[in-house]
Amino acid sequence: MANTEINKVSFVDLAAQYQTIKTEVDAAIASVIQNTAFILGPEVRKFEEEFAQFCETKYAVGVDSGTSAIELIMRALEIGPGDEVIIPANTFIATALGVSFTGAKPVFVEPEAKTYNIDVTRIEAAITPRTKAIMPVHLYGQTADMDPILDIAKKHGLFVVEDACQAHGARYKGKRAGSMGIASAFSFYPGKNLGAYGDGGGITTNDEKILAKLHRLRDYGQSEKYHHDELGYNRRLDSMQAAILRVKLRYIDSWNQARRDHADYYSKLLSGTKYVTPIVPAYAEPIWHLYVIQTEQRDMLMKFLSGMGIYTGIHYPIPIHLQGAYKDLGYKTGDFPLTETQSQKIVSLPMFAELSDEMVKYVVDGLLKFTGS
Ligand SMILES: Cc1ncc(COP(=O)(O)O)c(C=O)c1O
């Protein structure tokens, strides 16, 4: 297709992906309806086995969202009122919410300027006698620098929990995201690299005790039917979603590879321009959930691009410490300057496996037109 024929590029295109797997997905949904195993049936069990295998962990537990995954991990680790959990300041609010729901306090640490991931050199200063865990977020699909984080945690006797909600299949020094902490949270929100057709989440772990606790917590606290050992929730992964995710899991590596190719192409076309493009450290193998650049005139740029039919996003425009939900923590503008500056400059470009080179080129043409280059 010639470049001139493109006049629209969506931010994500879930319908395009569905077209490529329609037959399998439709059959998977029909089969769940036929079998009527709607709650924690064989599809959930099989998905958990397959997802654990994919993440190179012993176990996976299907839950109803990434936010639940974080909260249930916290509860399984007996983190609660009076405790603190260190998280990056520039993550999606759900990272903090999962901590807050237990009564514990999220403690923010600035990201590195280059990778957007938690700045490991600032973690120790945030540790107090109340700190129970460090929860790095593999933001935009690129892992945080895990070895120093694991070392700091060991030195201070803290848990490491990975928020891998944006990082299905990413690697750190060859290890899968979600395989390095005591437990890790995944989101299967539809727009994620591995997305359900509704809400969904998962937890990976190698620890049998945590596994048993998570099985109870997501299912009314029961160890066997009608035996309720603790106050549990109803936070199960839906069987229909599990069946859909099983189909998608067969394609995730090739979709992630396609995203890598698009990211490489964006970076190649944007090199030497005014835009700040993503940096990939030697330790990381990202899966490009988002391709984020920085520019001074972000809001004008987004408007300009949308006039060309190009849809972009901001992840995230208002830092958590400045959100109304967290006003009780008492933060003010200027407390996390890097997070705040980045939130005004970042813009996420269209990124999904089914993008074509022509579409990437059209987006970059728009970016260059805006700067007059
Ligand atoms: C980094 C991060 N943490 C947590 C979540 C929460 O996941 P969910 O939307 O499935 O509750 C998300 C996704 O929305 C996320 O991107």
Side-chain angles (χ1 to χ4, degrees):
M1 203 191 300
N3 195 25
T4 48
E5 288 173 43
I6 292 177
N7 57 16
K8 180 178 181 290
V9 185
S10 315
F11 182 60
V12 284
D13 189 346
L14 299 180
Q17 186 193 61
Y18 173 57
Q19 285 313 313
T20 69
I21 51 171
K22 186 177 183 319
T23 318
E24 288 165 87
V25 166
D26 291 356
I29 293 171
S31 150
V32 172
I33 297 170
Q34 204 71 43
N35 297 332
T36 70
F38 297 116
I39 306 294
L40 292 185
E43 291 295 334
V44 173
R45 211 166 40 244
K46 283 185 206 157
F47 172 68
E48 289 172 338
E49 279 169 25
E50 290 160 7
F51 191 63
Q53 201 171 18
F54 173 74
C55 293
E56 299 170 4
T57 58
K58 281 196 197 156
Y59 311 109
V61 179
V63 294
D64 60 350
S65 73
T67 311
S68 280
I70 295 168
E71 183 190 350
L72 296 191
I73 291 171
M74 294 294 136
R75 294 213 183 259
L77 297 175
E78 295 178 351
I79 289 172
D83 296 334
E84 293 177 357
V85 177
I86 292 173
I87 65 168
N90 63 331
T91 180
F92 182 55
I93 196 166
T95 311
L97 293 176
V99 174
S100 300
F101 291 153
T102 69
K105 183 177 146 191
V107 171
F108 306 116
V109 167
E110 287 265 54
E112 289 175 328
K114 287 185 177 167
T115 64
Y116 303 103
N117 275 321
I118 193 164
D119 184 342
V120 296
T121 67
R122 298 183 195 230
I123 291 177
E124 280 196 295
I127 295 174
T128 75
R130 291 178 295 279
T131 309
K132 286 282 162 5
I134 308 169
M135 181 159 50
V137 177
H138 305 314
L139 203 68
Y140 309 151
Q142 177 164 294
T143 56
D145 192 1
M146 291 303 291
D147 280 349
I149 295 170
L150 291 162
D151 286 347
I152 294 167
K154 199 167 172 195
K155 183 172 151 198
H156 294 270
L158 308 173
F159 294 118
V160 173
V161 174
E162 294 171 71
D163 180 339
C165 284
Q166 301 188 0
H168 321 72
R171 288 189 188 272
Y172 172 79
K173 297 185 182 174
K175 292 182 199 134
R176 283 284 201 199
S179 69
M180 295 168 276
I182 181 86
S184 306
F186 288 87
S187 165
F188 304 128
Y189 179 83
K192 297 291 197 261
N193 290 36
L194 182 64
Y197 289 166
D199 275 310
I203 299 167
T204 50
T205 186
N206 291 318
D207 187 300
E208 262 151 51
K209 268 203 199 131
I210 290 176
L211 175 78
K213 181 102 174 155
L214 291 169
H215 280 157
R216 292 194 297 274
L217 282 173
R218 74 166 172 185
D219 196 27
Y220 320 120
Q222 58 190 357
S223 47
E224 55 182 297
K225 205 168 168 71
Y226 301 133
H227 290 255
H228 305 274
D229 305 325
E230 57 191 303
L231 296 176
Y233 308 86
N234 176 349
R235 301 281 185 85
R236 302 168 297 226
L237 176 66
D238 192 276
S239 297
M240 199 91 81
Q241 301 303 344
I244 293 162
L245 288 166
R246 288 189 68 212
V247 172
K248 289 193 167 197
L249 201 49
R250 293 179 214 139
Y251 296 93
I252 182 74
D253 282 329
S254 67
W255 289 335
N256 283 345
Q257 185 52 48
R259 285 172 181 264
R260 253 173 230 132
D261 294 343
H262 304 322
D264 287 348
Y265 196 38
Y266 269 130
S267 293
K268 186 176 149 200
L269 296 176
L270 288 170
S271 88
T273 69
K274 287 180 185 160
Y275 296 100
V276 179
T277 52
I279 286 174
V280 180
Y283 59 68
E285 208 181 293
I287 46 98
W288 301 102
H289 173 55
L290 297 167
Y291 185 92
V292 176
I293 61 170
Q294 284 186 57
T295 177
E296 297 295 331
Q297 298 166 299
R298 193 262 318 275
D299 295 347
M300 272 165 66
L301 169 71
M302 289 178 77
K303 214 161 148 198
F304 179 82
L305 291 177
S306 89
M308 288 178 64
I310 298 165
Y311 298 95
T312 53
I314 306 172
H315 302 85
Y316 297 91
I318 306 166
I320 305 172
H321 68 280
L322 301 178
Q323 295 282 355
Y326 279 107
K327 65 174 180 303
D328 289 353
L329 292 181
Y331 290 113
K332 57 183 185 323
T333 303
D335 284 342
F336 295 93
L338 191 55
T339 300
E340 290 165 27
T341 317
Q342 285 184 346
S343 72
Q344 284 158 19
K345 293 184 180 174
I346 48 176
V347 54
S348 310
L349 302 184
M351 176 52 84
F352 49 95
E354 297 74 19
L355 276 176
S356 63
D357 281 356
E358 288 74 19
M359 287 167 156
V360 172
K361 182 92 187 22
Y362 182 70
V363 174
V364 173
D365 284 350
L367 288 163
L368 298 183
K369 224 181 247 176
F370 179 72
T371 54
S373 17

